[in-house]
Amino acid sequence: MALGSPDVVTQIVSVRKDTQYINWLKGLVNESAHNVLGPRLSTVCSEIINHVSEFLFYFLTTGGNLQTLGEEYTGMIQVDHTERHTPSLLRRLALISLYSISPYLLNKVSLQFINYLNKYKKVQIITQDTNPEITKLLKLLVRLHFCLFYMNGIYYSIPKHLLGIKYLSYSHHKSQTGQNFANLGRLSMLETLMSVCLLMFNWYKKKQNLNLIPATSNTTHSKALITTQCSFCLDDCQACTVTICGHQFCWNCIHSWLQTEAKCPFCREKISASGLVVIQNSV
């Protein structure tokens, strides 16, 4: 059977199929955790549960040197950079870790490191204003990688690019839209680069404006942010959100809770997502 490089459309369809099955598995595991652990504990652990579900999906497929459901649907197999062998066990385990475990660990470690610097070293490298800007910058960098994928037709994901894992297709179906995607990739890259430059410029202007604020005001503001605690997870608030009954939570915590029950976790007053207020620059 002749093998060839799959086109862009085939790889996108494969990833979307896998995403559908992963989301189905996440819903199944979250429902089981809700029944076993209860609504509060399952909500607090929802992020971990989602990462574990994704790990299970890739461990049972890629980890066993098998095709994922999306790869089987589109007729593709994974190969290493030589295109002569399937990826080694070490590469497959590294790929699974980069997909499912590394994002969670990097997020937790970076938050702890930033909190350490803010509290003990008195270095405000990340504030409530700059954190969204960094998130936007990271998303733009991911978009740049997608632009390269559209142009070259290989390495849909950054983990596969880092590990040199490619696809070969045994399907005879070939799309004729390769050049269209290449042109789309070039246009998207130009637009993304302009967005990155604009974001960096706005970030620089905000830093300049912050330098005009008195030091005492910055110190008070910093302490206020540090002492803000989520009433649900008992950790420092991330995107601090207040309900109509006056309790404050992380946005993710209270939003996830509302998917289960439309009442405040503490006073049991009826609340809704439309009544939540995200606190910006509170002192």
Side-chain angles (χ1 to χ4, degrees):
M1 181 183 297
L3 298 178
S5 299
D7 54 39
V8 173
V9 176
T10 302
Q11 296 181 66
I12 292 176
V13 170
S14 173
V15 172
R16 289 188 175 180
K17 280 289 182 182
D18 283 339
T19 301
Q20 290 177 3
Y21 289 118
I22 290 173
N23 289 337
W24 171 81
L25 182 60
K26 287 179 180 179
L28 188 64
V29 175
N30 272 289
E31 183 179 354
S32 301
H34 183 273
N35 294 332
V36 174
L37 303 177
R40 177 174 179 178
L41 187 57
S42 62
T43 302
V44 172
C45 300
S46 61
E47 185 180 4
I48 298 177
I49 292 172
N50 288 334
H51 286 288
V52 169
S53 302
E54 192 169 2
F55 173 82
L56 287 174
F57 177 84
Y58 286 112
F59 183 77
L60 295 175
T61 53
T62 302
N65 205 18
L66 302 173
Q67 293 170 285
T68 65
L69 298 176
E71 292 167 359
E72 184 178 3
Y73 178 82
T74 54
M76 298 192 305
I77 58 173
Q78 295 182 14
V79 294
D80 60 15
H81 63 285
T82 66
E83 298 186 0
R84 294 177 179 271
H85 308 283
T86 58
S88 64
L89 177 60
L90 184 60
R91 283 177 185 265
R92 298 198 307 271
L93 292 178
L95 180 64
I96 295 170
S97 299
L98 288 175
Y99 270 146
S100 56
I101 301 176
S102 296
Y104 175 78
L105 294 179
L106 286 175
N107 181 52
K108 293 299 181 182
V109 170
S110 61
L111 286 177
Q112 292 298 325
F113 179 68
I114 290 167
N115 289 335
Y116 171 77
L117 290 179
N118 290 342
K119 291 180 180 179
Y120 300 107
K121 300 298 182 180
K122 298 181 179 179
V123 178
Q124 283 286 12
I125 59 173
I126 302 293
T127 64
Q128 192 172 3
D129 293 326
T130 59
N131 192 30
E133 303 297 333
I134 292 179
T135 302
K136 289 179 183 178
L137 181 60
L138 292 176
K139 289 181 177 180
L140 288 174
L141 293 178
V142 173
R143 280 173 56 185
L144 280 176
H145 187 271
F146 276 121
C147 294
L148 293 175
F149 166 71
Y150 288 146
M151 294 165 60
N152 301 325
I154 55 176
Y155 300 129
Y156 178 89
S157 65
I158 294 178
K160 281 189 170 69
H161 202 158
L162 293 174
L163 297 171
I165 297 178
K166 302 180 181 180
Y167 277 124
L168 288 181
S169 174
Y170 53 83
S171 173
H172 297 290
H173 173 72
K174 273 287 184 180
S175 174
Q176 303 299 322
T177 58
Q179 188 59 41
N180 295 336
F181 273 102
N183 294 332
L184 175 62
R186 295 185 187 98
L187 292 175
S188 298
M189 177 166 288
L190 179 61
E191 187 270 338
T192 304
L193 288 174
M194 293 175 63
S195 299
V196 170
C197 294
L198 181 61
L199 181 63
M200 297 300 292
F201 177 72
N202 291 336
W203 196 1
Y204 174 77
K205 287 182 64 176
K206 285 185 178 180
K207 285 293 184 182
Q208 292 295 102
N209 294 334
L210 284 176
N211 292 335
L212 301 177
I213 301 176
T216 54
S217 176
N218 284 336
T219 303
T220 305
H221 177 70
S222 169
K223 290 181 178 179
L225 288 177
I226 293 174
T227 55
T228 302
Q229 190 180 58
C230 174
S231 302
F232 200 100
C233 64
L234 304 181
D235 202 350
D236 292 339
C237 262
Q238 304 296 325
C240 188
T241 305
V242 177
T243 61
I244 58 175
C245 52
H247 295 108
Q248 57 187 18
F249 308 90
C250 298
W251 167 258
N252 287 335
C253 289
I254 189 61
H255 190 265
S256 299
W257 172 265
L258 287 177
Q259 306 303 315
T260 305
E261 190 173 3
K263 293 182 180 179
C264 175
F266 287 89
C267 64
R268 312 304 295 171
E269 183 173 344
K270 290 185 178 181
I271 58 177
S272 63
S274 60
L276 301 177
V277 178
V278 180
I279 301 177
Q280 296 288 345
N281 301 325
S282 61
V283 179

